[in-house]
Amino acid sequence: MTAKTPEQIRESYLSFFEQREHTRYPSDGLVPENDPTLLFTGAGMNQFKAMFLGKGHLPFTRATTSQKCMRMPDLENVGRTSSHHTFFEMLGNFSFGDYFKAEAIRWAWELLTEVWEVPGDRLSVTVYKDDNEAAAIWRDEVGLPEERISRYDEDENFWPASAPSKGPNGICGPCSEIYFDFHPERGAYPAGGPADDGSRFVEIWNLVFTQFDRQGDGSLAPLPQKNIDTGMGFERVVRVLESLARGEVLSSNFESQLFAPLMDAAYSHIGKQTPFGTPDGTRVRRIVDHVRAATFCISDGIAPSNLKQGYVVRKVLRRAMIDRHILGADLRENWLADLAGLVVDEMGRAYPALAEARSMISSTVAAEEEKFASTFFSASQRLDVLATKTVDRGETRLSGADAFLLYDTFGLPLDLQKMLLEERELPVDEDGYRAAMAGQRSRSREASKISDSIIGGLIASLGSPLPQTEFVRDTLSVADAQILDVAEDAETDTDEQDDEGLLLVLDRTPFYAEGGGQVGDTGIIRGEGFVAEVIDTVSVQGITVHRVIAAEGRPSKGPCSARVDAVSREATARNHTATHLLHAALRAVLGDEVTQAGSLVAPQRLRFDFRFPRALTAEEVRAVEDTVNRWILANEEVSTEDMSRDAAREAGAMALFGEKYGESVRVVRVSNQRHGEDSVELCGGTHVIRSGDIGLFRLVDESSIAAGVRRVEARTGLGFVDLAREQDQRLQRSAALFKTSPELLTERIEALQAETKELRRELDGVRSDMAAERLDQGLRDWNGLRVLLASVSGVPVKKLREVAGDFVADRCDLVILAAPDDGGTSFLVAAGKLAQERGLKANDLVKSLGAAFGGKGGGNKAFAQGRGGAASDPEATLEAVLKEASLANS
């Protein structure tokens, strides 16, 4: 059979169904829109649920897609089996109340055996045990022998599989799966069917006859229409077709052309090849799979985080880093970002969003590598010590307490511990781990807010347990504090070699520790013989840790005074209260669907992330600003009250993103009685006394940071004044460049734009005249037709379309033009009535030109156009395509 590239296989599938009146529809995102029941898109049908239910409004009843999918249940099988992946592509064809079983089955067989030339005797199928109709079509219409048609119950051949006792699962129906036989030399067909021998057979296509809606009681209610939902594993079928073309069985999907560049890069990186089925082979394939998955997720706006989809991205990247480490690579040297770039190179043509997000993908993956590497080595060394002690004690598994210590203190999750312990064949007491987690959940969540290395360094330095720190909220200074402990801070960078970075723990402090989005306070701590500059304040398990630089002397245990930087605290307080007002204003203007997704409150600025599906309009931005400033000008009191969590909830208080609260909470309220506006939030941060203290408020940026997540940044008070001055200076400089005043700058720019537009019009006219001369030279008589064939540069394609239409209307029968530029070559064909009668159709010629130029195009029989790569002699390429058309129609 003819060898095909993965790109050709994908395109031939989609084209096959396009030719059968299916609309080629784009892939949905990896995070389904408006479907909170799904963490990721796991099948091609997800975006068509409404159509299956007869409630959709898409203008077609047949569709075909190549869908990006992500499934985490197969995580542990990745690299171990020949066919499992986290991220994969699913090819699909769909019918919404149009065709049904007969067409779906016949077309599947036609594509596999006639288009792709898969030997029919290598294929077998399964059907639902009671689906006599599907079995008869396979047997009587396709001609498949009865022994290669296996019947299974609904656990195998009813999709999704869910017995009535398991509850509802919505859209469902019986299915028929198509299997390929990799090893026919093994002889007799298995009595239990192909699903019983995964080493010999692989499922490549599932045809689902979607006709039911499973109800809450498990009953099957017929859908308003019978539908078709098919899913073909792209990676699997590439392996099948490549194995047939090469005459040898590829051991796994990872050995195909689809993965070859990534596998070669991995082999080069670790300095050896690793066969499938070996421990190192599993690790290399897992690295390739996981980085591929993370790359597609990040391009879809899913940033690594500790929540939902973001947690999955972080998890697969860290699993890949662990595998890299076990294979002998140095995690201090980033490499996964390079592999992600190769994923973009290989898949960017099929999925242009990858190329558009290249920079974001690279920087995101590199940042994750650096973050993990900074804490991994201390964690892995501690794991080695604990594992050795476990074995020396004669125990057969790592204790739950030790596993929890590695997670809580060193930031090493359980699944990564298990990966590192694989070589020792030492399991983990997972029940004990979960018990320890439950017992200290509140403590672990608080500790996770700051750097793992700070936690580990501090705890390791303490001579005895410390009490929780008293926060003295209503003052900027405390004269009678006590330093309880001092430890070195390995993470503090200082400008002077003699400066020493330290961690100080006081019994009581006026310094606010980072939390609720607010940065930690800065200031000065003084004692006998020393002065320490506080550069940050964080909290570890209820203990306030002051990160300091010893400016004079060296701090030691004993009496001290502590003073917060008043200017910085006041600026931060303005921004924190403004953040509350901003949150309330966004909900007032955009609706209650706005929910917080993160924040940063610093002295210089505030940043607020929120879930919202689109960008704000200019009118909405102004409305938000006006609402906040109206609140500020009302100069209302900012009140605080401690109350129970239930009472706060009844009062309508909103909780801040990522924060955990005890039974007693602090409620911050800002009211605007004149306009009936109220901001009520749970918050332990610092705030202004009255709303007027904020000064003024201005949004300076609004952008997207992830799918469905927006970010706004703002300035208040003196920050707003500084911003206004900077903008005024830029305006003055701009006006000077245009030799006018700021007041007349707009009119000056408009006049220059009009002048530029006129000059461009004149230039286009000159180019058109030159092109007309060039086109006249391209006119010729050919096979009884008047033909214009030419390559013209420097003329916009839009203008060439007009010229082609004019020529076909008045002067010739067929126009074939190429327009080369720096980025490639555009091409178009216009065919008159006589040319069409001779069998020369514009869309057919453009298809041939697309192949010749390495691109694609489309249109109809009268006019078509396309775009391809650069060519050394575009006109010769046009000549060759015309000659080929002449031979085909002779």
Side-chain angles (χ1 to χ4, degrees), residues 24 105 142 212 239 258 474 671 735 776:
R24 186 185 298 214
I105 291 172
V142 172
F212 299 113
R239 176 191 172 208
L258 186 62
D474 298 324
S671 298
D776 284 339

Side-chain angles (χ1 to χ4, degrees), residues 411-487:
L412 193 65
L414 181 62
D415 64 321
L416 300 188
Q417 296 178 39
K418 290 162 65 177
M419 291 176 66
L420 289 168
L421 291 170
E422 278 182 357
E423 288 184 311
R424 291 177 177 262
E425 297 183 352
L426 185 67
V428 178
D429 176 8
E430 296 188 38
D431 290 339
Y433 169 83
R434 282 188 285 270
M437 174 73 81
Q440 302 186 53
R441 189 173 300 277
S442 175
R443 171 177 168 271
S444 69
R445 285 178 176 173
E446 234 181 292
S448 68
K449 298 174 192 172
I450 68 170
S451 165
D452 291 333
S453 60
I454 295 178
I455 297 172
L458 176 61
I459 291 176
S461 301
L462 300 182
S464 59
L466 294 173
Q468 292 196 351
T469 308
E470 176 190 353
F471 175 44
V472 186
R473 179 181 294 278
D474 298 324
T475 181
L476 293 177
S477 64
V478 170
D480 56 350
Q482 292 282 328
I483 296 178
L484 303 181
D485 210 339
V486 181

Side-chain angles (χ1 to χ4, degrees), residues 645-712:
R645 189 171 53 191
D646 291 340
R649 189 180 295 113
E650 291 176 5
M654 290 188 292
L656 287 181
F657 171 80
E659 290 300 295
K660 304 300 177 185
Y661 301 93
E663 287 303 317
S664 179
V665 296
R666 183 169 181 261
V667 176
V668 178
R669 181 188 296 270
V670 188
S671 298
N672 185 352
Q673 297 178 0
R674 183 180 304 173
H675 293 91
E677 297 162 335
D678 211 16
S679 166
V680 187
E681 294 196 12
L682 306 184
C683 184
T686 62
H687 290 271
V688 297
I689 298 174
R690 305 189 72 87
S691 61
D693 297 341
I694 296 172
L696 288 171
F697 172 92
R698 180 69 185 274
L699 289 173
V700 297
D701 187 52
E702 193 271 343
S703 62
S704 170
I705 60 167
V709 181
R710 310 298 301 179
R711 169 171 290 175
V712 290

Side-chain angles (χ1 to χ4, degrees), residues 132-149:
N132 296 322
E133 180 185 6
I137 295 170
W138 282 116
R139 182 186 63 244
D140 302 335
E141 298 189 32
V142 172
L144 202 62
E146 187 77 42
E147 63 266 24
R148 296 217 308 275
I149 304 173

